[in-house]
Amino acid sequence: MKLKVVLVVSLVVILVSAGSVGAEKLGSANLTARSLGMGGAFTGLADDLSSLYYNPAGMVNSGLLGIQLDLGTMVSISDELDELQDIPDKINDDSISDALSVIPDDVNFMGQGQLAANFKSFGVAYTTKAFAESSNQGSSASAKLIKLQEGVLSLGNELIGLPFGVGRLVYGMNYRLIKLEKESYAVSSATEVTKIESDDDSFAIDLGLLMNMTDNFRVGLQIQNLIKPDFDLSGDKEKSHYDGSTWVIDSDSYSEEMKLDRVGRIGASLRVPIIDLTLAADIDNLGFLSDTKDDEVYHFGIEKDIIFNGLSLRAGTFSQEDGDNYLTCGLGLNLKALHLDIAAASDDRFDKSVAAVVSGRVKF
């Protein structure tokens, strides 16, 4: 798929962070407006269709029937993304010499969108993620984009009831069919350009556990990629070099292996019914459950229902591997079966870098 097409699609999906496009980033959680508003702390809450991404055991709490759509965009790097999406048009057989000048410097983008539905504790979802980055040092430049599409089947069920009826332990599993597409450009000098396009399909299995200690206190665990997807990317490699008078293009086959990390996550939530307040906390990249090299990430969130639970106010924070702390906020409108949510996050007090998410869900 052309880089331009993928980026145009990506502009209408959710930015979840601005980081490097490594394989470890491909397994990051899918953010919804409600979870983002609470700082991404949702593993121990898991009481709607967002459970499908954070803890499939929570599908038992998702209601009789529901559907959820999540969309968003990033507003701070639109100019750079415009430049990035023009690369395929500007680097062609007639203008290969422009490659060094058309690749922007220091652009990082990660976006996603998803549509999910459930019947009782059975769920299905389609998700799409896009990761893009580029750099330009003046004498060399590179641009890379990865697109990930997933079809997800999810099921939650009760494992055991706790003694004296004080709670229950439930489990859930996700089966994910994954298509990975990768496109990259590398300019090693003003006279050499390499373009690579490759793709492959794989699958993964996630496991989730959720213990309802009481009606208001829950502890959850998710292992994403318990069975890890293993990609053998294959495609075409096109290398162009200038021989002094004209550009010569050599084509060859290309292959590359890529594996996604196993990521463990635990969380807890506490609801205080008297004041309609929910507190939640998660620890991501948990060492003994993960094989990622990333540091642990801590998520904290709060949700306050007001006006007879018709409106929900949310706030939270989470840390990133680079040490930056993100602030989040969100708002939810609850109209019987219809729920509309918006959320935003930033690492610079919403002055420059802002991620915005809108979610709509119907739940019966």
Side-chain angles (χ1 to χ4, degrees):
M1 179 177 288
K2 290 290 186 180
L3 182 64
K4 181 175 182 178
V5 175
V6 176
L7 280 173
V8 170
V9 172
S10 302
L11 284 174
V12 296
V13 296
I14 300 168
L15 178 82
V16 294
S17 74
S20 62
V21 190
E24 69 279 359
K25 293 290 183 182
L26 299 179
S28 58
N30 298 44
L31 290 179
T32 64
R34 186 181 178 206
S35 63
L36 179 60
M38 299 182 68
F42 209 80
T43 306
L45 184 54
D47 61 355
D48 62 27
L49 263 171
S50 299
S51 305
L52 194 145
Y53 311 113
Y54 280 88
N55 186 350
M59 293 300 295
V60 300
N61 302 316
S62 59
L64 174 62
L65 180 67
I67 186 168
Q68 180 166 314
L69 174 67
D70 305 284
L71 296 173
T73 188
M74 174 66 176
V75 298
S76 69
I77 54 176
S78 58
D79 292 341
E80 291 86 350
L81 286 174
D82 289 342
E83 294 178 22
L84 197 61
Q85 73 178 24
D86 288 338
I87 290 176
D89 291 337
K90 293 183 176 179
I91 304 178
N92 53 50
D93 295 349
D94 299 323
S95 59
I96 298 176
S97 59
D98 294 335
L100 195 59
S101 62
V102 302
I103 295 179
D105 185 34
D106 196 25
V107 174
N108 293 282
F109 173 85
M110 185 164 78
Q112 65 183 34
Q114 55 236 8
L115 177 65
N118 79 287
F119 177 69
K120 294 185 177 180
S121 58
F122 175 77
V124 295
Y126 169 77
T127 74
T128 178
K129 301 180 183 179
F131 307 78
E133 68 175 2
S134 69
S135 63
N136 193 322
Q137 291 78 44
S139 59
S140 63
S142 64
K144 178 169 60 177
L145 183 134
I146 297 175
K147 183 181 180 183
L148 200 71
Q149 299 178 76
E150 296 186 6
V152 186
L153 297 177
S154 184
L155 179 65
N157 203 356
E158 182 173 301
L159 186 61
I160 57 173
L162 298 182
F164 309 109
V166 298
R168 60 175 179 167
L169 177 65
V170 297
Y171 72 93
M173 298 188 71
N174 287 338
Y175 177 76
R176 295 156 43 218
L177 292 172
I178 310 169
K179 181 176 180 61
L180 177 63
E181 300 174 81
K182 183 177 180 181
E183 184 171 346
S184 65
Y185 293 83
V187 186
S188 56
S189 69
T191 60
E192 187 171 285
V193 180
T194 301
K195 175 185 176 181
I196 297 174
E197 293 180 308
S198 58
D199 63 81
D200 192 25
D201 301 326
S202 188
F203 73 96
I205 291 179
D206 308 327
L207 173 67
L209 295 173
L210 186 64
M211 182 175 291
N212 293 35
M213 305 297 294
T214 69
D215 290 339
N216 298 309
F217 179 63
R218 299 172 180 169
V219 177
L221 175 147
Q222 177 183 244
I223 303 177
Q224 190 176 44
N225 299 330
L226 178 66
I227 296 181
K228 300 190 293 185
D230 188 354
F231 298 98
D232 185 8
L233 297 169
S234 60
D236 300 317
K237 180 178 181 179
E238 189 177 273
K239 190 171 184 178
S240 306
H241 66 277
Y242 192 69
D243 65 1
S245 59
T246 185
W247 283 89
V248 179
I249 301 176
D250 299 320
S251 298
D252 200 359
S253 59
Y254 175 82
S255 64
E256 174 190 5
E257 292 186 358
M258 179 180 288
K259 295 182 179 180
L260 305 191
D261 291 333
R262 181 180 298 114
V263 179
R265 185 179 182 115
I266 63 172
S269 69
L270 173 66
R271 180 167 177 80
V272 186
I274 298 176
I275 56 176
D276 293 324
L277 182 72
T278 300
L279 303 172
D282 279 12
I283 304 176
D284 209 353
N285 300 333
L286 202 61
F288 68 94
L289 294 175
S290 308
D291 56 14
T292 176
K293 297 179 181 179
D294 291 338
D295 294 334
E296 292 180 349
V297 177
Y298 299 89
H299 306 256
F300 301 96
I302 185 171
E303 180 179 64
K304 175 71 170 85
D305 294 330
I306 60 176
I307 313 178
F308 304 102
N309 297 331
L311 194 65
S312 298
L313 305 178
R314 304 179 183 110
T317 183
F318 64 94
S319 60
Q320 282 286 72
E321 292 85 351
D322 57 12
D324 290 338
N325 289 316
Y326 283 70
L327 299 177
T328 74
C329 61
L331 179 69
L333 182 62
N334 309 311
L335 304 173
K336 293 187 178 179
L338 177 63
H339 302 266
L340 300 175
D341 302 292
I342 59 174
S346 175
D347 62 346
D348 54 14
R349 298 183 181 180
F350 301 93
D351 181 52
K352 180 180 178 182
S353 175
V354 179
V357 182
V358 178
S359 298
R361 68 183 186 274
V362 178
K363 178 180 178 180
F364 297 97

